[in-house]
Amino acid sequence: MTATLRAIVAYLSSGTPTFSGIVDLLHDRGHAMVALMFSIIFIVPLGVPGLSTVLGAVVGLSGAAMLLARRPWLPMRLAARKVPAASFARLLTAAEKVLRPIERISRPRWAGLSTHPLAHRLAGGLIVVCASLLALPLPPGTNAPPAAAIVLLAVGVLEEDGLFLVLGWVATLANLALFVSLGVIGLGAIRALVPG
């Protein structure tokens, strides 16, 4: 997985990289690698304003493709969009440091679960849910929790690791609880500001 990130960093230094070029480069690793690469950058303590909405869409489409067992696909307008190469390369280099210890502890286990096609489809559906949360225009700090859930699910699929898949399911439920709570708190704050 880290080798793939390094290959993407090399691609970013050549010409004018696009999202479709990155997806094409990752095609042999499948949808899960696309989701992993575009979400793990939100776990590192760096950021590019406005990137979560675009990358949330890319991750969501990858998850939908996993759910429907389809090939990776991006809308033409999004596929042709240029990647901010310098910023993105910096994020991926930092993300590799996060992925390295995960790569060391992940391994094939719980084969009855981790290799089942329905488990992969479920992971894709949950990635769509977390990507939708990732794409919401919310304040800084709210991207890391759904991104972490996506990383767990993607690693579970890529490494056929049932433990990571289960952790991804739990993390998705925790994210839904968190964002519902934030929504309730936000509505309460708005009602308090608006005269009754």
Side-chain angles (χ1 to χ4, degrees), residues 11-12 16-24 38 78-83:
Y11 166 71
L12 291 171
T16 54
T18 62
F19 284 105
S20 63
I22 292 176
V23 171
D24 289 343
F38 284 121
L78 181 57
R81 185 165 177 165
K82 293 180 181 179
V83 178

Side-chain angles (χ1 to χ4, degrees), residues 1 3 20 24 32 38 44 46 72-73 75 93-94 102 117 126 130 135 148 157 177 179 184 194:
M1 293 184 290
S20 63
D24 289 343
F38 284 121
V44 300
L46 300 169
W73 172 85
T93 301
I102 296 175
L126 296 180
C130 291
V157 171
F179 278 79
V184 170
V194 177

Side-chain angles (χ1 to χ4, degrees), residues 18-64:
T18 62
F19 284 105
S20 63
I22 292 176
V23 171
D24 289 343
L25 191 60
L26 294 173
H27 179 61
D28 63 329
R29 297 302 309 271
H31 314 291
M33 191 64 208
V34 175
L36 173 65
M37 193 204 70
F38 284 121
S39 58
I40 196 171
I41 62 173
F42 293 102
I43 299 176
V44 300
L46 300 169
V48 178
L51 206 56
S52 64
T53 301
V54 175
L55 296 189
V58 174
V59 172
L61 288 169
S62 298

Side-chain angles (χ1 to χ4, degrees), residues 14 24 43 54 59 66 72 80-81 94-95 110 116 143 145 147 151 155 157 162 167-168 178 194:
S14 61
D24 289 343
I43 299 176
V54 175
V59 172
M66 289 174 63
R81 185 165 177 165
W110 303 357
H116 200 288
N143 290 331
V151 168
V155 171
V157 171
L167 291 174
L178 171 64
V194 177

Side-chain angles (χ1 to χ4, degrees), residues 178-192:
L178 171 64
F179 278 79
V180 168
S181 299
L182 289 174
V184 170
I185 293 170
L187 284 174
I190 291 171
R191 286 174 180 168

Side-chain angles (χ1 to χ4, degrees), residues 107-111 113-115 156 159-169:
R107 62 181 187 276
R109 57 187 144 192
W110 303 357
L113 169 65
S114 62
T115 61
E159 300 295 306
E160 295 185 348
D161 192 330
L163 175 59
F164 270 78
L165 283 176
V166 172
L167 291 174
W169 300 345

Side-chain angles (χ1 to χ4, degrees), residues 5 8-9 12 37 41 87-96:
L5 290 187
I8 296 297
V9 171
L12 291 171
M37 193 204 70
I41 62 173
S87 300
F88 206 59
R90 189 178 74 252
L91 287 169
L92 287 180
T93 301
E96 184 188 343

